Amino acid sequence: MASDGFRPLDDKSLAEYIKATPSLSSKLGNQIDELQIKEVGDGNLNFVYIVTSPSGSFVIKQALPYIRCIGESWPMTKERAYFESVALKEHGRLCPDHVPEVYHFDRAMSLIGMRYLEPPHIILRKGLIAGIEYPLLAEHISEYMARTLFFTSLIYRTTTEHKQAVAEFCGNVELCRLTEQVVFSDPYKVSQYNHWTSPYLDRDAEAVREDNILKLEVAELKSMFCERSQALIHGDLHTGSVMVTSDSTQVIDPEFAFYGPMGFDIGAFVGNLILAFFAQDGQADPKNDRKAYKDWLLRTIEETWNLFLKKFTALWDKHKDGSGEAYLPAIYNNPQLQQLVKQKFMSDLFHDTLGFGAAKMIRRIVGVAHVEDFESIADAGVRADCERRALDFAKMLLKERRKFQGITEVVSAIQKVH
């Protein structure tokens, strides 16, 4: 059993553990006596420690057998650490510039040792709240998404390789079920876990629960999430799972990783940028109306999709005669047909992206876990106004996503709401 030998570590026992583990102690130049250990886990699920010595550093992440922010009343498998480590290694192999390196994994202890993303790296969401522009964000995140999604899909792989990988990640069922519950189920019914800015949004939350068309669309997205093993997705690619500086973008925390629909990752990221946009009016102050920043956010949303589209199709062109079994070269054997296939695939993926992005927005406003972008707006009335605009836009996007031909139209629609 993987649970044999599990014990939650604290500062003292972690120092002992590091001493006894060569793959970790060597990263510190074996200078164990001057070790500094700091617990920084502000996350919902895990313990996270930063370990530093005069000659090296790393992060230790340990999964607990329950959801940390709720407690032992909501048990959660520690095996998620295994899937996180496999996803980090696989995505890191495919996109080493934007995924931190894994130094050590201990399955019995549900413990990962990995590169410490030293200051000035901060969580992207905090940077967006502070109004910081990241000129390379769209370039970097589109590269990460294009490479990780393309190379784990059947456009590149044989069906045999693909099925083996899908089978392994089917084991991450508990975290998939958590997503199914909090994204596709709870916001659309009465649930003890839901909350919203009450009383301002009481009627809005009720409207979500009474919207037949919305529920039809969400059912379609849920079945796609559960049934469609398109690529190895991160599974939780929001702005809290990315660490940035002006010239570095690092994707962390893929513990929800599994073989799912590509649009779920792209949608999660784009949807969170749209939430950040709608939160800006609540972040504005007399010194800074945030207008220029909102323009930057809209440009970033547009560039993220456009660069992804360009990079993904470039990889497809480059490997079109490879071993991928989705579109066999013997069948898709002329440029006109290849073009048609790519257009159809990318158009469907775009609409999936909008649908999943909208669903992720809705759950962050009337579901269990909210975003700091809104939560940090102190005045509840102002916060509710920002959230309502975001919610109304997300509902429209979910229901009418197929009408949009390109990302520019989506950006125009966001501006109209404003």
Side-chain angles (χ1 to χ4, degrees):
M1 279 289 291
S3 59
D4 288 353
F6 176 84
R7 61 186 201 284
L9 293 174
D10 56 22
D11 295 18
K12 187 161 176 283
S13 55
L14 179 56
E16 296 298 320
Y17 181 90
I18 292 164
K19 270 183 206 173
T21 309
S23 57
L24 293 175
S25 54
S26 65
K27 290 283 169 201
L28 305 175
N30 295 310
Q31 292 186 299
I32 308 295
D33 303 328
E34 300 174 68
L35 212 56
Q36 286 191 305
I37 296 178
K38 188 170 140 208
E39 214 272 301
V40 294
D42 59 351
N44 295 329
L45 297 178
N46 310 288
F47 277 123
V48 181
Y49 298 94
I50 295 170
V51 180
T52 50
S53 82
S55 57
S57 63
F58 49 77
V59 163
I60 294 287
K61 182 171 179 179
Q62 186 177 36
L64 299 169
Y66 52 84
I67 294 184
R68 181 180 173 177
C69 66
I70 291 175
E72 294 182 29
S73 66
W74 190 330
M76 176 58 59
T77 173
K78 308 186 301 297
E79 275 291 273
R80 62 185 188 268
Y82 168 74
F83 295 105
E84 176 166 9
S85 74
V86 175
L88 278 168
K89 288 174 190 167
E90 178 70 350
H91 283 171
R93 183 178 69 77
L94 297 170
C95 193
D97 291 347
H98 303 303
V99 181
E101 187 185 347
V102 174
Y103 302 144
H104 172 75
F105 175 62
D106 181 335
R107 192 163 185 175
M109 290 288 283
S110 304
L111 179 145
I112 306 172
M114 66 188 113
R115 179 189 161 195
Y116 170 44
L117 299 169
E118 63 294 324
H121 279 97
I122 61 166
I123 294 287
L124 173 57
R125 192 183 304 284
K126 294 190 182 298
L128 299 179
I129 293 167
I132 302 167
E133 290 185 18
Y134 296 99
L136 296 174
L137 178 61
E139 177 66 50
H140 288 168
I141 206 78
S142 60
E143 180 79 6
Y144 166 81
M145 295 191 304
R147 293 188 65 82
T148 57
L149 297 175
F150 177 82
F151 286 114
T152 60
S153 79
L154 283 168
I155 305 173
Y156 178 75
R157 276 190 179 163
T158 67
T159 48
T160 308
E161 291 168 327
H162 191 72
K163 281 202 167 19
Q164 282 171 337
V166 170
E168 175 165 33
F169 273 91
C170 280
N172 207 10
V173 57
E174 254 191 76
L175 269 75
C176 288
R177 283 186 62 80
L178 182 59
T179 302
E180 289 157 29
Q181 178 184 337
V182 300
V183 177
F184 302 108
S185 300
D186 280 358
Y188 304 92
K189 65 186 180 77
V190 174
S191 162
Q192 68 190 81
Y193 300 110
N194 292 341
H195 64 102
W196 51 83
T197 306
S198 188
Y200 303 93
L201 296 184
D202 289 1
R203 184 68 201 97
D204 301 81
E206 192 183 353
V208 168
R209 298 195 299 270
E210 291 173 353
D211 191 324
N212 291 347
I213 306 298
L214 199 63
K215 288 180 178 179
L216 278 176
E217 293 295 345
V218 161
E220 189 174 316
L221 290 168
K222 182 176 183 176
S223 77
M224 198 189 303
F225 179 84
C226 296
E227 296 160 3
R228 187 145 199 221
S229 311
Q230 212 172 18
L232 177 58
I233 65 171
H234 178 287
D236 199 27
L237 190 60
H238 53 74
T239 52
S241 300
V242 181
M243 293 193 74
V244 286
T245 67
S246 59
D247 56 6
S248 166
T249 306
Q250 303 289 324
V251 178
I252 59 170
D253 291 350
E255 61 196 347
F256 284 82
F258 78 112
Y259 275 76
M262 296 180 184
F264 191 77
D265 269 6
I266 314 165
F269 188 76
V270 170
N272 273 261
L273 289 182
I274 299 173
L275 289 177
F277 174 88
F278 281 109
Q280 291 302 314
D281 287 351
Q283 310 288 354
D285 58 48
K287 289 198 286 292
N288 184 354
D289 63 6
R290 294 281 180 119
K291 176 151 180 8
Y293 195 63
K294 289 198 292 194
D295 291 341
W296 175 79
L297 276 168
L298 293 179
R299 277 201 311 280
T300 302
I301 289 164
E302 198 162 344
E303 284 171 12
T304 297
W305 171 261
N306 285 338
L307 286 167
F308 169 80
L309 176 69
K310 187 176 140 197
K311 291 171 185 188
F312 191 93
T313 49
L315 288 169
W316 192 335
D317 289 339
K318 185 178 172 186
H319 297 280
K320 68 177 189 299
D321 299 319
S323 55
E325 293 199 49
Y327 301 98
L328 297 170
I331 302 171
Y332 302 90
N333 55 3
N334 65 74
Q336 191 187 359
L337 179 56
Q338 288 163 358
Q339 191 55 34
L340 280 173
V341 160
K342 276 189 302 220
Q343 278 171 343
K344 170 83 169 77
F345 185 96
M346 299 313 286
S347 171
D348 289 347
L349 179 51
F350 178 63
H351 294 138
D352 295 349
T353 294
L354 299 184
F356 286 122
K360 297 281 272 183
M361 290 173 67
I362 292 168
R363 62 86 37 132
R364 292 296 193 178
I365 298 167
V366 296
V368 55
H370 289 210
V371 290
E372 201 185 334
D373 310 64
F374 291 132
E375 298 290 288
S376 58
I377 300 168
D379 183 317
V382 173
R383 183 192 328 136
D385 285 343
C386 294
E387 289 175 322
R388 182 177 293 112
R389 282 199 289 272
L391 183 61
D392 289 345
F393 178 77
K395 283 160 55 178
M396 180 282 292
L397 191 60
L398 189 56
K399 291 191 269 195
E400 300 180 23
R401 64 188 183 280
R402 296 172 196 85
K403 293 181 184 168
F404 292 92
Q405 296 305 304
I407 194 72
T408 312
E409 292 177 21
V410 177
V411 168
S412 300
I414 296 171
Q415 287 167 312
K416 283 199 186 83
V417 177
H418 240 55

